[in-house]
Amino acid sequence: RTFLLDQSCLTSRDIDDALLRNSSDLKLRLQDFVQVLQANAVAESDALAAFLQISADGAAAPMPACRRAARKFAEKNLKARLAEDKWELIMDAAVGRIHGGGNARGLEILDLEQWLVYVQLVSRMVRLVQQLRA
């Protein structure tokens, strides 16, 4: 429980519900545990608020603004402090996942759905780097 509270956006109020939703027969297997972490890397409401700050129409935002906003989001919400080259690797890897493994620099605009996936991926990678450092 402590690890999940520290490494996700879950609070003590909602952790039990998340665990129950993701467990099989009230037993939490490793894959269930990982799924809880993946699904709760960031609070969707916080990610949506960040997107609305960079989107002119609330539907899409340019990729350079998304990269800056995702970094700012992680620095603020996850207290992330990484070297510039690490940020670039994380941002490129997240865009590559959204872009189907293609050229990470080829995606110019993210819609809201893509942004939510992007900021989740960035946050998960940042959390992993932080955990490896600990």
Side-chain angles (χ1 to χ4, degrees):
R1 291 176 60 84
T2 302
F3 184 84
L4 284 172
L5 290 170
D6 290 344
Q7 298 301 317
S8 72
C9 68
L10 292 170
T11 65
S12 57
R13 280 191 349 232
D14 55 7
I15 192 169
D16 290 331
D17 288 338
L19 291 170
L20 284 172
R21 276 193 314 273
N22 289 286
S23 64
S24 305
D25 302 326
L26 299 179
K27 295 178 184 176
L28 190 67
R29 296 173 301 182
L30 178 60
Q31 66 191 37
D32 301 328
F33 181 80
V34 171
Q35 188 174 3
V36 170
L37 283 172
Q38 290 174 339
N40 295 285
V42 298
E44 193 170 301
S45 59
D46 293 341
L48 176 59
F51 181 78
L52 293 175
Q53 291 180 356
I54 60 170
S55 174
D57 61 3
M63 193 62 223
C66 290
R67 290 174 76 94
R68 288 189 301 273
R71 178 176 176 167
K72 184 178 174 183
F73 185 92
E75 288 174 338
K76 178 184 174 196
N77 294 300
L78 307 178
K79 310 291 188 264
R81 301 293 175 259
L82 304 175
E84 194 63 36
D85 62 326
K86 299 287 188 257
W87 281 116
E88 288 299 315
L89 287 171
I90 288 171
M91 298 298 171
D92 287 348
V95 172
R97 291 284 305 270
I98 292 170
H99 200 250
N103 181 358
R105 300 283 182 183
L107 197 59
E108 296 180 20
I109 295 174
L110 293 184
D111 63 27
L112 175 57
E113 184 178 329
Q114 290 171 317
W115 161 259
L116 292 173
V117 172
Y118 181 66
V119 77
Q120 283 269 6
L121 289 168
V122 167
S123 296
R124 285 170 37 200
M125 286 185 247
V126 166
R127 286 183 190 276
L128 180 59
V129 168
Q130 291 173 321
Q131 189 61 34
L132 291 172
R133 286 181 172 175

